[in-house]
């Protein structure tokens, strides 16, 4: 069950040519339990797989002889300029993947001028992470039953110049994480969600035989509701983004509640197994709202980004790809992952005849008939 | 062909996190022939596989920020309250799987407050099983040509407080059980359908070369007909449920004949190979009748239960999963299987925003286009 | 490339429970080249595989509580009674599969009361085969450019009580038989199409580099045409059946030309690769004509026969299954193959609630949506 | 990573019966890097695979009893007669595959009377290649920013009796060639695009971390545009053909710009991954224009050619198949590949009842429903 962990890569081998190539290198540099935690999904992992497979259900039309003068990948989001539409998604406990943890990730984000969404369950304090930042940070948020704690953390985020709060709404309860269970995953002693010190959340438990495992527990009473979203929008000094919505009706209601943007996501396939792939939910969601919609889940190629934008996403978030870059090669690996995807995005745009992101639309998509 | 059987598990290892994880443990604790009998299906086992695959053809929509106050899985069926909508399906000869046989299963059913459908071909008498029961029992029924024998057994079931008779209608003749044939399956000498002592059924045989293998045999004359169902409804002191109907017209006719409920089932893929998956037959059947419709076949996950209920099932039955739990770990294994499924059901309901079973409807289903 | 051939089976092991189970036993009892000849198909063998796969695209609806009094599989064809609707398709050079060759096959056909279609390329004379027959024989026919030879052979067939002539129309030229080429297949010295002695056919050849491989050869001038079919119908003392038609327009024209029946077939996937599966062509063909339509190609199960009849076939032909039975176990193997399929057919009919072949119709078919 | 290269085949073994059979023989006769270059595609190689898979989505209807008198595969293209509709597609640097390189290929083309499209990046001068030609040559063209250089090369092509210029429009920038990167592919020292000596193209580069990898480079300024196509049509003494168009609108505009023919192609899956298969783009393209449309990509069988022509192609080009023939067996291998495909084409036409190419139309196609 355990294996000898290999040391961090000191140079990037030629066998790493795409972001997926980092995966085996990351696996060899993590404990079996940490690998189960980061790479696994819920239950039978159908949604985890479908997040990737969904991109293969769309093709792209090559365009001939288009002019590419002044080509650029620049875009605007919540009043800020992004040189290219790729952000780092929130991932908890990054110190399990690499000794530098989030401090390594934020260095790479700054070097590559990419937005980073810091997890509320980061292994470093939000202030320490912000101190290393050279690009904009957003703070991911799990609803806490202790409102005083939340008010305090909102103030700290504001003070550290975070620029948005990202409320996760697709994990009111833990998913069925069989891969973690089989690997006996528990948080190592030296890893802690330091930013949650002082918050008192009910713990999840599957109860004793014969009792209601979840519905009989305390946990179920504190899942966040629409009223809680309203509270957060009212009390946050920063714009509130919701992450993890998939249904058009939910997205519309969130817009009415005052959110600044929506991230379509199924939590990387880690909560409800057999939920639709994020990409499959995207098109309907985009048509429901006027706030910017971002896509999280399954991006592994520049062509994937073109497809997400063609279906209406303003930008995309990547998760496991950069985490594997971090585990394999530290901040250099994270930067390389961003560089590969940005380069692939530009190649794909050029071959599709798109000189600006706004040139990317449904007309570039090829949807084959079932075969 | 034979192997050294491993002893019963004395604790549940972390590698068993889902009900399917019991399968290899069960296999190592049975003879090759018993394994072929319990795990096998008819012919090429397409229906056996499709019973599982059919659930993957539906997805579930996650819901955001729904209130889960007073969440419960409770339901009513034939005048009784079930704490959660999972029943134990009839399985014959359980003493081949574990020394306690049905006496072990009924203990677990009682501990978990689950209904159990006892097979007419149980290896213990229906009275002995009832004596250990702490939850409601139904009795599965194969039509017998000896009506006096049937009247006597109906009276015994009534006397032992069974609460329904479940007539199996999808196995008028034996399926083509190639896996059993290849494993030379025969009933071990110490195993017997004790409740059928005194009944005289014609035996199945494939006849001599050149003769009509089945249609020339006695067996074909005694397959149950609609008239026989009417006889049973008239003579049974208990409500009659039919199990194994798949076509809407049959279900409607059964309701007109006075049955109390219908179980959509294809006998676990053990009779007619290439019959539709139970789930695929469910939706049309539900729309045909007003009596409760239950689903049997292919349930392995809490999300599967949500899908069955979304398509109209009142409750589901599980078969092989609990039998494997029994074989691997005795009554404790059966109870664990029920506990896992109940917990997964609650997680799935929470993530779909359903606080009651009645909140589960077609709107939670995501049916992807073919790809 | 060669291997030690195993001797004929002296009893049927329990591992042979379905007709497909004969395949590995047959393979071990043939030369590599003979195996390539009998088992192979054209080019990439897509049609060969699709002949089997097409049956999996249809399901069967189980029926509940139907009466099966007086159940029978009997049918009528060209004025004769068949106890069950399974015939033996023409296969050339059966002496390559077993020393008795067609003489072994005809013994089994007689014992099982099955019609046999003798190949014009049989390794025994049509008279010797007829001498052993105890069930009706038809004679398969390849168009010969020598009409005198054909007249003579028609007279011999008539004299030996053959009951129909079966003109093959789907192999005007040889298919691209790569598997045979890779195995260096040539006819062994002691094997000969004895019934073709005296006929002078042009030989196939792929020509020299730079020339037209087929269209420049003599062979192409003598492919059979519609005029030739008319000639055969006029000169044959026996009813003429055409084998190998797939398109409704062709079948209709054949009926107008006076054929007595049509066999839908793609030559077992041995001529035009990527031709449709026989079953996929059947339904449209049946609707075009009033003469009986038979199906050849892909039958491996009793349920397959029910599906073919539900789509309109009057009876089916089997080829490789009985050839493998012959190779593995001689006449006993051929008889066993017929017995298995007949038994499976009766089981499938019983479970579908069909007591006669005429009860089998489109309503028993379940055609799932693509998934 | 490296292996001992095997010598050229001195005779063709029976294991090579179809053109795909050359593949393993070619692989054993190339360096790992050269193999990655010739066999690889862009990114995850979905389009590379789909070019082949697309042909399996169509079937062919066998026709019965059609006359094949005067059968021929002859056709006309740009005023020339082709004995059969198969041309050799442009492939760069053929000296990496075989010492004779393009000089070997052109010998085989002449022996087989096939048109050859010589790559502008050939390893031999266009004059040396033309000197060995015994069949018509076209010259493939990449747009060069140096117009004087282009004028000079056009004059040389004209002087050497090339008959058309084939402008490639589907590779304005390099594709994401991960397989080449992983194999550390670089052009060997002794291989050179000799015909490009004197041209000064900007070099591709993925830039430094944090900068725009492609859009910030010089390369992007010189991608060919519609104006450049007009320039080429005006200045070329030879008809201009465009290669690499997939969208009907592009093809129509190219026709309006004065091109003589269009080659539907996705560059063998080497530029935009997840672009549609060439065959899938063909039908819509054909309906848009009146100039001849050729198909490039995925042809491996005579039946593939029939399908391409049925969808409207005038002729097809083959690439990797002949390159593998060259690598394995030199000019003899190239000729054999052409011979196999021509023979398979004639067999497929005969079985479909087509005596001329003009008999091939949509009616020969069978498009199965999704399954």
């Amino acid at each position: 069950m355990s294996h000898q962990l290999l040391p961090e890569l000191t140079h990037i081998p030629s066998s790493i040519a795409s972001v997926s190539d980092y995966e085996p290198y990351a696996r060899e540099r993590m404990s079996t339990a940490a690998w189960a935690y980061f790479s696994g999904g819920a239950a039978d992992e159908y949604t985890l797989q479908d997040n990737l497979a969904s991109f293969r259900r769309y093709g792209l039309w090559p365009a001939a002889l288009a002019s590419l003068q002044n080509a650029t990948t620049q875009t605007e989001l919540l009043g800020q300029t992004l040189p290219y539409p790729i952000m780092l998604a929130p991932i908890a406990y990054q110190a399990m993947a690499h000794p530098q943890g989030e401090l390594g990730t934020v260095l790479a984000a700054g070097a590559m001028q990419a937005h980073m969404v810091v997890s509320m369950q980061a292994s470093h304090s939000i202030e320490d992470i912000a101190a290393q930042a050279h690009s904009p940070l957003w703070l991911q948020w799990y609803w806490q039953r202790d409102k005083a704690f939340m008010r305090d953390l909102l103030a700290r985020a504001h003070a550290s110049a975070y620029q948005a709060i990202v409320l996760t709404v697709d994990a009111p309860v833990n998913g069925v994480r069989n891969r973690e269970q089989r690997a006996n995953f528990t948080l190592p002693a030296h890893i802690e969600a330091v930013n949650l010190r002082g918050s008192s959340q009910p713990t999840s438990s599957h109860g004793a035989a014969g009792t209601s495992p979840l519905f009989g527990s305390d946990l179920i009473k504190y899942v966040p509701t629409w009223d809680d979203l309203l509270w957060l929008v009212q009390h946050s000094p920063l714009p509130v983004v919701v992450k993890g919505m998939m249904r058009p009706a939910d997205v519309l209601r969130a817009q009415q509640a005052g959110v600044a943007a929506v991230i379509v996501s199924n939590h990387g396939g880690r909560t409800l197994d057999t939920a639709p792939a994020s990409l499959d939910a995207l098109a309907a969601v985009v048509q429901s709202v006027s706030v910017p919609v971002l896509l999280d889940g399954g991006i592994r190629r520049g062509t994937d980004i073109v497809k997400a934008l063609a279906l209406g996403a303003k930008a995309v978030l990547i998760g496991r790809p950069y985490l594997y870059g971090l585990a394999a090669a530290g901040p250099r690996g994270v930067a390389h992952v961003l560089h590969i995807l940005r380069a692939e995005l530009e190649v794909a745009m050029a071959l599709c005849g798109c000189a600006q992101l706004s040139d990317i639309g449904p007309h570039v998509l090829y949807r084959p008939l079932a075969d």
Side-chain angles (χ1 to χ4, degrees), chain A:
Chain A
M1 286 297 263
S2 90
H3 51 193
Q4 183 69 29
L5 304 192
L6 296 183
E8 180 177 334
L9 290 172
T10 55
H11 81 288
I12 308 299
S14 64
S15 50
I16 298 183
S18 72
V19 303
S20 297
D21 294 335
Y22 270 105
E23 187 167 325
Y25 290 89
R27 186 173 196 157
E28 292 172 329
R29 286 161 179 82
M30 277 189 216
S31 71
T32 301
W35 177 253
Y37 175 79
F38 287 119
S39 68
D44 298 311
E45 305 190 340
Y46 290 120
T47 296
L48 177 69
Q49 297 164 27
D50 203 39
N51 273 352
L52 300 179
S54 59
F55 287 94
R56 298 199 287 268
R57 291 195 282 267
Y58 291 90
L60 291 176
W61 281 109
L65 299 171
S67 169
L68 297 171
Q69 294 302 316
N70 303 318
T72 175
T73 57
Q74 192 171 299
T75 190
E76 307 291 314
L77 184 61
L78 302 195
Q80 291 233 319
T81 297
L82 285 71
Y84 54 98
I86 309 174
M87 299 175 58
L88 300 183
I91 298 180
Y93 306 122
Q94 297 188 19
M96 277 202 302
H98 186 272
Q100 290 176 263
E102 295 81 5
L103 299 181
T105 300
V106 78
L107 280 181
M112 294 298 294
Q113 285 304 300
H115 278 51
M116 174 179 176
V117 185
V118 175
S119 169
M120 193 189 226
Q121 295 174 337
S123 18
H124 292 279
S125 77
I126 62 171
E127 288 83 1
D128 287 353
I129 297 168
Q132 304 288 331
H134 294 278
S135 60
L137 301 184
W138 294 2
L139 180 59
Q140 180 269 341
W141 199 265
Y142 282 114
W143 181 258
Q144 306 293 310
R145 67 173 163 182
D146 180 346
K147 287 183 176 168
F149 174 87
M150 287 200 290
R151 278 198 201 95
D152 181 57
L153 191 60
L154 285 169
R156 285 171 54 195
H158 190 224
S160 292
Y162 284 79
Q163 304 196 2
I165 298 295
V166 179
L167 178 69
T168 296
V169 298
D170 56 5
V173 301
N174 275 344
V176 174
R177 297 274 187 81
N178 291 155
R179 210 185 325 170
E180 292 174 20
Q181 295 167 278
R182 292 179 193 127
N184 281 310
F185 173 76
T186 54
L187 213 52
H190 65 289
I191 308 280
E192 184 191 350
V194 295
N195 298 293
L196 287 173
R197 282 182 195 161
S199 180
S200 58
Q201 285 295 93
T203 51
S204 168
S205 133
H206 278 181
T211 67
S212 176
L214 172 66
F215 288 174
S217 76
D218 243 24
L219 186 75
I220 204 70
K221 298 182 190 142
Y222 296 98
V223 302
T225 65
W226 288 104
D227 286 345
D228 298 330
L229 174 61
L230 287 173
W231 183 93
L232 189 66
V233 168
Q234 286 166 349
H235 290 79
S236 171
L238 303 170
V240 172
V241 174
V242 281
K243 175 171 179 285
M245 286 188 170
M246 299 281 282
R247 303 190 305 176
D250 285 341
V251 172
L252 182 60
R253 191 167 173 186
Q255 174 174 283
Q256 290 162 346
V259 304
V262 174
I263 303 172
V264 170
S265 172
N266 51 34
H267 215 106
R270 297 165 76 84
T271 54
L272 179 65
D273 199 25
T274 73
S278 301
L279 189 73
D280 287 332
L282 178 62
V285 160
V286 166
Q287 289 158 17
S288 306
V289 289
S290 54
V291 297
V293 175
L294 312 186
L295 181 91
D296 168 75
I299 297 285
R300 297 291 182 276
R301 286 288 185 185
T303 46
D304 295 341
I305 302 173
V306 172
K307 292 171 189 178
L309 269 58
L311 286 169
K314 186 77 181 167
V316 301
L317 294 91
I318 59 169
R320 290 181 182 91
Y322 84 79
L323 192 280
Y324 296 163
L326 179 71
R332 180 194 339 220
V334 176
H336 187 218
V337 162
L338 283 164
H339 184 71
I340 289 173
L341 284 177
R342 182 184 188 177
E344 288 187 354
L345 169 62
E346 296 186 4
V347 169
M349 287 175 65
L351 293 171
C352 290
C354 300
Q356 278 82 37
L357 297 186
S358 58
D359 293 337
I360 301 173
H363 67 282
V364 305
L365 290 175
Y366 169 68
R367 176 120 213 208
L369 298 176
D371 63 289

